[in-house]
Amino acid sequence: MIILIFLLLFTITCESSPNPTIFEDINRHQEEYVQRLKEWVAIESDSSDPLKREEVIRMMHLAAERLKELNATVELVELGSQKLYGHDVPLPPVILAGIEKDPKKPTVCFYGHLDVQPAKFEDGWSTQPYNLTEKDGNLYGRGTSDDKGQVLAVLHAVETLQKHELPVNVKFVFEGMEEVGSNGLFTLVEQRNSTFFSNVDYIVVTDTLWLSNKPGITYGTRGNCYFFVEVQGARKDLHSGSFGGVVHEATGDLIFLLNTLVNSSGHILIPGIYDAVVPPSEKEVEFYKESEFNAAKIKRTFGIRNFTYSAKEEILMRRSCYPSLSIHGIEGAFSASGTKTVIPAKVTGKFSIRLVPNMEPSVVINQVTDYLKEKFAERKSPNHISIKCVIQAKPWLSDIDGPLYLAGKKAIKKVFNTEPEMFRIGGTIPIGSHFQEVTGKSAMFLGIGGPDDAPHGQNEKLSRYNFIEGTKLYAALLQELVSL
Amino acid sequence: MIILIFLLLFTITCESSPNPTIFEDINRHQEEYVQRLKEWVAIESDSSDPLKREEVIRMMHLAAERLKELNATVELVELGSQKLYGHDVPLPPVILAGIEKDPKKPTVCFYGHLDVQPAKFEDGWSTQPYNLTEKDGNLYGRGTSDDKGQVLAVLHAVETLQKHELPVNVKFVFEGMEEVGSNGLFTLVEQRNSTFFSNVDYIVVTDTLWLSNKPGITYGTRGNCYFFVEVQGARKDLHSGSFGGVVHEATGDLIFLLNTLVNSSGHILIPGIYDAVVPPSEKEVEFYKESEFNAAKIKRTFGIRNFTYSAKEEILMRRSCYPSLSIHGIEGAFSASGTKTVIPAKVTGKFSIRLVPNMEPSVVINQVTDYLKEKFAERKSPNHISIKCVIQAKPWLSDIDGPLYLAGKKAIKKVFNTEPEMFRIGGTIPIGSHFQEVTGKSAMFLGIGGPDDAPHGQNEKLSRYNFIEGTKLYAALLQELVSL
């Protein structure tokens, strides 16, 4: 009797998961996978901070070593340096790697990044951001979800398949400057289009999250134009006692300008900014209506009182299919705790506009610049302004009926026994649109992060479930791709 | 013939400077004085930074040692601690000291402070702010002018007079929390009114600058209400890609509120704020018209393009006899260099209003709070605001025809051979009004800092000339006071 039940259970397991050996292998190694993620998270590869640039470079070399352990051919492409605040800061190398066994088989190229957003415990983290900490099934740490955990899941999937049979050729493009605009990578893709990319059939980008607890596939991203608007008042900071009331204060001018950008419900006030926006198709509207996106849960997780829209599909579409403008902060004004009675000399407001098809960065830059200059002229201030766009990234939208998407859907069905949710995301991974444009190959965003991972916020996490099942997902995808 | 010319020169010297021995003594010791100022500047006694509190305390003990070397009786009054960001931070002790030889002689009490404003080299200093550096006759360093240099000038004057004869009794009140609101000092003055202050006849505050290169006496200061307006959006920082367009952003709300406070020419928009303002008297208007204040030089020094007023007297009165509002910055938003695509969860705007007679802090707080709440209601945001006034300091105005002011004028005449400029200042030294209110004694602000010393800005300095001649001025004042 006991033997019968055991056999029955075994049969059920086999049916719901057709790669028992590979999946069990992944299950067995999960502590090792978590340990490796801990090692990667411990490296403070914050690409926005010039003082941590060496850490980003160290991270790239560590990933290169990992790839060599998988018998990949690895090239670390040096991209020179960037001018940052008057200093030459070295750019981290880009990893171009490949495991190519059989030219007759298809070749899939994974893209991921190993740099992270800034994180400090004092920002309000519950754990040290660079010390991976597991709590209630979640792995907390900067980069767990965005994007170190997802890159490692790919590598663990490949490693596991190699023990049996790697069904396709695999290539890897890993960079260390994604969070600040992927310096140098765009040109590199163009330069290597006829060499490294010549035999690539499909491009899979890991750098994305699911929309709900149901697995999902991303077929579009928003672009981004990140602006610095600088107001220069006096040449030196002034004492507000000595000069308050008799000088045109730069901070007041900047606050005035920033206040002209967007209204309280998020509508952008820059003339013409919505002109090129193509609304989502009817089919897409259906995707969002059917989604299991749980607005109430997201509200609870992030402590959001109210979204600016109430219907689920409106929230989803507004944050991914329409532009938005966020004011991030001010550099140069007093920003510490406590009090300081200063009139800052030079202040730089930082805001960004997310772009959707068919908005063009060059057009947006002109619209913003003209508008702010016009508004500043109305202010009649003797201070000087300058407006710079420091990140320009195009939006991206893919054809979701191609073979790559079919394989993705089948892989999800295998691992999770469900249909995926299809959606666009509001974030910007400019390399997606660039890969597609330059190589002419189909690109797909298949991530394994959950909807509440907080990739740029405090307490970023990846659940252990998503990390391990996601590893299976990438393994399944590689198996599906061979049959296309 | 040569001997005759020499005698003639000697006679002229004696006439223009009636204390040749004392003044020469001061001249002879100037390198020692500069060296001591260097030691004091090296202590980072920034009272706004809880992490530097121990340095403030160290500074107070060093000053106490100096006073003991002058045979003063010294009490270091402990004031307990303050709650700061959830921590108990110790308050630095206040120094009450005295050199009292003859109860029949008048007693003058000097007030000064030994804490400084924040300063970092990266803020745009040309030299290290805590390393006193002499260049072109100026002593650069944080606290040189505000107020360590002026306190040291008093001590050096007393030390020099002691070698001959100290003409009056001298008392000292030195504190370490002036830059952040003089915590505990106000109560202490009340508590010691019938003891320490009972035999004090005159109060001299060192913490002030001259209006031009001509020596000046300050008879009024502005008060200050420093506000924190906090907007709380979500509980966590959000990614502007994932949430841009669907949440009510706290930073946008705060920018909106800050933009309602003051117009581009410095006019405060809060209803009723000007109601209690008493304009300067006709006599005062004459002071400012006659002043040698050099607006063009100040513009050059600080790189100010245009003042909001063109006439010299208008600039002087607007910055000292009328209220002003300055926006200092935002805490909680992105303020570093580079880019970060964050929607900050909680942001705190910091601004302050300088008060003049007869504005009352309690009234101003109500006006500001009511106005911001009303404006925020118009915004219809679901976010939460809270408004706090963290510094409340009254304005102060003195009777300029009393004996203390007469002595001050005579001392200036002796050292500089000129009449002083009489003026109010725009800054806030709340202890001035408090001393006068509690003790009923006459107070005068007699500083030795120059008009372009930049006390709260980058490259704060005190000229060597002002430091040394200022030491003579305090010596001359003590000699004049005995004859009143």
Side-chain angles (χ1 to χ4, degrees):
Chain A
M1 184 64 175
I2 289 172
I3 290 168
L4 269 177
I5 292 174
F6 180 76
L7 278 172
L8 186 66
L9 279 170
F10 185 70
T11 315
I12 291 168
T13 313
C14 284
E15 270 178 11
S16 67
S17 148
N19 292 296
T21 326
I22 284 162
F23 288 3
E24 280 161 16
D25 206 357
I26 289 169
N27 282 338
R28 266 201 308 278
H29 286 84
Q30 58 177 290
E31 291 313 322
E32 180 190 316
Y33 297 163
V34 170
Q35 187 53 38
R36 189 168 287 120
L37 182 55
K38 191 176 174 75
E39 285 162 23
W40 282 29
V41 165
I43 298 176
E44 301 188 21
S45 52
D46 171 359
S47 53
S48 78
D49 183 347
L51 297 175
K52 294 198 178 146
R53 187 57 56 83
E54 287 303 323
E55 288 299 278
V56 184
I57 293 169
R58 190 156 75 88
M59 184 66 234
M60 299 313 295
H61 284 275
L62 187 68
E65 287 312 308
R66 185 83 267 268
L67 280 161
K68 286 178 191 161
E69 286 162 18
L70 304 182
N71 295 315
T73 56
V74 179
E75 184 186 3
L76 282 158
V77 185
E78 295 296 342
L79 297 175
S81 63
Q82 64 174 159
K83 261 274 188 277
L84 216 54
Y85 320 118
H87 297 279
D88 272 322
V89 180
L91 289 168
V94 167
I95 292 174
L96 297 182
I99 305 172
E100 296 168 277
K101 291 286 161 76
D102 184 350
K104 292 191 293 295
K105 287 184 176 170
T107 300
V108 57
C109 177
F110 284 95
Y111 162 83
H113 68 89
L114 301 169
D115 59 321
V116 296
Q117 283 276 320
K120 285 185 301 203
F121 180 69
E122 308 85 79
D123 292 343
W125 282 67
S126 303
T127 61
Q128 290 295 338
Y130 295 106
N131 180 14
L132 186 96
T133 307
E134 184 160 11
K135 268 202 318 198
D136 304 328
N138 287 319
L139 306 164
Y140 289 93
R142 176 57 91 222
T144 46
S145 179
D146 181 18
D147 182 32
K148 291 175 177 175
Q150 311 203 88
V151 166
L152 271 178
V154 170
L155 297 187
H156 294 146
V158 169
E159 185 178 31
T160 309
L161 286 170
Q162 279 182 323
K163 292 186 214 159
H164 306 81
E165 192 203 348
L166 189 61
V168 291
N169 302 308
V170 189
K171 287 193 156 184
F172 307 92
V173 178
F174 295 153
E175 66 155 323
M177 290 292 284
E178 193 276 335
E179 298 293 0
V180 288
S182 297
N183 310 41
L185 184 61
F186 289 68
T187 312
L188 182 67
V189 172
E190 286 159 25
Q191 287 167 346
R192 301 298 179 95
N193 188 29
S194 60
T195 51
F196 181 85
F197 289 102
S198 65
N199 66 340
V200 168
D201 299 294
Y202 307 109
I203 293 154
V204 177
V205 175
T206 61
D207 189 21
T208 184
L209 304 179
W210 299 351
L211 194 56
S212 70
N213 287 327
K214 212 173 153 181
I217 295 178
T218 304
Y219 63 91
T221 58
R222 292 198 287 188
N224 195 10
C225 283
Y226 200 113
F227 291 92
F228 285 6
V229 51
E230 174 191 299
V231 183
Q232 171 92 52
R235 260 201 327 275
K236 295 180 186 179
D237 285 355
L238 303 173
H239 185 315
S240 66
S242 308
F243 290 96
V246 296
V247 292
H248 299 271
E249 303 193 5
T251 311
D253 285 352
L254 180 61
I255 296 276
F256 168 83
L257 289 175
L258 295 176
N259 193 50
T260 65
L261 295 171
V262 61
N263 75 9
S264 67
S265 55
H267 184 80
I268 305 172
L269 305 173
I270 299 157
I273 203 90
Y274 291 99
D275 288 355
V277 173
V278 179
S281 69
E282 280 181 34
K283 188 174 170 184
E284 290 186 271
V285 176
E286 284 311 307
F287 286 160
Y288 296 112
K289 280 189 176 160
E290 285 164 15
S291 159
E292 291 187 9
F293 171 75
N294 187 335
K297 189 176 170 199
I298 294 288
K299 277 165 74 171
R300 275 198 308 279
T301 302
F302 293 101
I304 296 164
R305 281 186 196 87
N306 287 308
F307 284 113
T308 45
Y309 296 87
S310 51
K312 172 185 68 183
E313 63 274 17
E314 271 293 317
I315 297 168
L316 291 173
M317 289 188 291
R318 286 285 157 184
R319 74 175 196 173
S320 62
C321 309
Y322 291 93
S324 65
L325 189 153
S326 295
I327 299 168
H328 307 297
I330 298 175
E331 180 181 351
F334 178 56
S335 61
S337 54
T339 58
K340 186 177 180 184
T341 51
V342 66
I343 299 174
K346 187 173 81 176
V347 286
T348 304
K350 300 186 176 184
F351 66 93
S352 64
I353 300 176
R354 300 282 169 175
L355 314 185
V356 300
N358 294 325
M359 295 168 82
E360 277 292 331
S362 60
V363 175
V364 170
I365 292 168
N366 284 338
Q367 287 167 333
V368 168
T369 308
D370 291 350
Y371 178 68
L372 284 178
K373 284 189 173 165
E374 187 192 311
K375 286 289 164 190
F376 191 65
E378 286 173 18
R379 175 95 172 160
K380 298 195 194 312
S381 164
N383 295 327
H384 283 191
I385 63 163
S386 77
I387 301 148
K388 260 193 308 201
C389 181
V390 295
I391 295 177
Q392 298 176 36
K394 289 183 183 177
W396 165 76
L397 197 59
S398 190
D399 167 23
I400 58 175
D401 297 318
L404 179 61
Y405 283 83
L406 189 65
K409 287 177 193 176
K410 281 187 175 175
I412 283 173
K413 182 83 183 168
K414 257 193 193 164
V415 178
F416 299 98
N417 200 25
T418 180
E419 295 298 320
E421 293 195 323
M422 302 297 292
F423 58 92
R424 299 198 221 172
I425 56 164
T428 303
I429 307 111
I431 200 65
S433 76
H434 192 71
F435 276 135
Q436 197 165 294
E437 248 181 65
V438 173
T439 67
K441 302 297 159 58
S442 177
M444 177 174 77
F445 280 60
L446 183 67
I448 61 169
D452 52 357
D453 281 358
H456 286 204
Q458 298 94 331
N459 301 325
E460 177 180 347
K461 61 93 179 162
L462 177 66
S463 77
R464 179 185 276 257
Y465 173 82
N466 281 38
F467 188 39
I468 302 307
E469 299 309 300
T471 304
K472 295 176 190 169
L473 175 58
Y474 289 127
L477 176 72
L478 293 175
Q479 291 187 315
E480 288 301 328
L481 279 172
V482 75
S483 59
L484 290 176
Chain B
M1 183 65 174
I2 290 171
I3 291 169
L4 268 179
I5 292 173
F6 181 76
L7 278 173
L8 186 67
L9 280 169
F10 185 70
T11 316
I12 291 167
T13 312
C14 285
E15 269 178 12
S16 65
S17 145
N19 292 294
T21 326
I22 284 164
F23 288 2
E24 279 161 18
D25 206 357
I26 289 169
N27 281 339
R28 265 199 309 278
H29 286 85
Q30 59 177 289
E31 291 312 322
E32 180 191 316
Y33 299 164
V34 170
Q35 187 52 38
R36 189 168 288 119
L37 181 56
K38 191 177 174 74
E39 285 162 25
W40 282 29
V41 165
I43 298 177
E44 301 188 20
S45 52
D46 172 359
S47 52
S48 77
D49 184 347
L51 297 175
K52 294 199 177 146
R53 188 56 56 84
E54 287 303 322
E55 289 298 279
V56 185
I57 293 169
R58 190 156 75 87
M59 184 65 234
M60 299 313 294
H61 284 275
L62 187 67
E65 288 311 308
R66 185 83 267 268
L67 282 160
K68 285 177 192 163
E69 286 163 16
L70 304 181
N71 296 314
T73 56
V74 180
E75 184 185 3
L76 282 159
V77 185
E78 295 295 340
L79 297 175
S81 63
Q82 64 175 158
K83 262 271 187 281
L84 215 55
Y85 321 117
H87 297 280
D88 272 322
V89 180
L91 289 168
V94 167
I95 292 174
L96 298 181
I99 304 172
E100 296 168 278
K101 293 282 161 78
D102 184 350
K104 289 189 295 294
K105 287 183 177 170
T107 299
V108 58
C109 177
F110 284 94
Y111 162 84
H113 69 89
L114 301 170
D115 58 321
V116 296
Q117 282 276 320
K120 284 186 301 203
F121 181 70
E122 308 85 79
D123 292 344
W125 282 68
S126 304
T127 60
Q128 290 295 338
Y130 294 107
N131 181 15
L132 185 97
T133 307
E134 184 160 10
K135 267 201 319 199
D136 304 328
N138 287 318
L139 306 164
Y140 289 94
R142 177 57 91 222
T144 46
S145 178
D146 181 17
D147 184 29
K148 291 175 178 176
Q150 311 203 85
V151 166
L152 270 179
V154 169
L155 297 187
H156 294 147
V158 169
E159 186 178 31
T160 308
L161 287 170
Q162 278 182 323
K163 292 186 215 159
H164 305 80
E165 192 204 348
L166 190 60
V168 290
N169 302 307
V170 188
K171 287 192 154 184
F172 308 92
V173 178
F174 296 153
E175 66 154 325
M177 291 291 284
E178 193 276 335
E179 298 293 0
V180 289
S182 297
N183 311 39
L185 184 62
F186 290 68
T187 312
L188 182 67
V189 172
E190 287 160 23
Q191 287 167 346
R192 300 298 179 94
N193 188 29
S194 60
T195 51
F196 180 85
F197 290 101
S198 65
N199 65 340
V200 168
D201 299 294
Y202 307 108
I203 293 154
V204 176
V205 175
T206 62
D207 190 21
T208 184
L209 304 180
W210 299 350
L211 194 56
S212 69
N213 287 326
K214 212 173 152 182
I217 296 178
T218 304
Y219 63 91
T221 58
R222 291 197 289 188
N224 196 10
C225 282
Y226 200 113
F227 291 91
F228 285 6
V229 51
E230 174 190 298
V231 182
Q232 172 92 52
R235 259 201 328 276
K236 295 180 187 178
D237 285 356
L238 302 173
H239 185 316
S240 65
S242 308
F243 290 97
V246 296
V247 292
H248 300 270
E249 304 192 5
T251 310
D253 285 352
L254 180 60
I255 296 277
F256 168 82
L257 289 175
L258 295 177
N259 194 50
T260 66
L261 295 171
V262 61
N263 76 9
S264 67
S265 54
H267 184 80
I268 305 172
L269 304 172
I270 299 157
I273 204 90
Y274 291 98
D275 288 356
V277 174
V278 179
S281 68
E282 279 180 35
K283 188 174 170 183
E284 290 186 271
V285 176
E286 284 310 306
F287 287 159
Y288 297 113
K289 280 190 177 161
E290 285 164 14
S291 160
E292 291 187 8
F293 171 73
N294 187 334
K297 190 177 170 197
I298 294 288
K299 277 166 75 171
R300 275 198 308 279
T301 303
F302 293 100
I304 296 165
R305 279 185 199 86
N306 288 307
F307 285 113
T308 47
Y309 296 87
S310 51
K312 172 186 68 184
E313 63 273 18
E314 270 294 317
I315 297 169
L316 291 174
M317 290 189 289
R318 286 285 156 186
R319 73 175 197 173
S320 62
C321 309
Y322 290 93
S324 65
L325 189 153
S326 295
I327 299 168
H328 308 297
I330 298 176
E331 181 181 351
F334 178 56
S335 62
S337 55
T339 58
K340 186 176 180 185
T341 51
V342 65
I343 299 173
K346 187 172 81 174
V347 285
T348 304
K350 301 187 176 183
F351 66 93
S352 64
I353 301 176
R354 299 281 168 175
L355 314 185
V356 299
N358 291 326
M359 294 168 81
E360 275 294 330
S362 60
V363 175
V364 170
I365 292 168
N366 285 339
Q367 287 167 333
V368 168
T369 309
D370 290 351
Y371 178 69
L372 284 178
K373 283 189 173 165
E374 186 192 311
K375 286 289 163 190
F376 192 65
E378 286 173 19
R379 176 94 173 160
K380 297 195 195 313
S381 164
N383 295 327
H384 282 192
I385 63 163
S386 77
I387 301 148
K388 258 193 309 200
C389 181
V390 295
I391 295 177
Q392 298 176 36
K394 289 185 184 176
W396 165 76
L397 197 59
S398 189
D399 167 22
I400 58 174
D401 297 319
L404 178 60
Y405 282 83
L406 188 65
K409 287 178 194 176
K410 280 187 176 173
I412 284 174
K413 181 84 181 170
K414 254 191 197 167
V415 179
F416 299 98
N417 199 23
T418 181
E419 294 298 318
E421 294 196 323
M422 302 297 293
F423 58 92
R424 298 198 222 171
I425 56 164
T428 304
I429 307 112
I431 200 66
S433 76
H434 193 70
F435 276 136
Q436 196 165 294
E437 247 180 65
V438 174
T439 66
K441 302 297 159 56
S442 177
M444 176 174 76
F445 281 58
L446 182 66
I448 62 168
D452 52 357
D453 281 359
H456 286 205
Q458 300 93 328
N459 301 324
E460 177 181 347
K461 59 95 178 160
L462 178 66
S463 76
R464 180 186 274 256
Y465 173 82
N466 281 38
F467 188 39
I468 302 306
E469 299 308 301
T471 304
K472 295 176 191 170
L473 175 59
Y474 290 127
L477 176 72
L478 293 175
Q479 293 187 314
E480 290 300 328
L481 279 171
V482 76
S483 60
L484 290 176

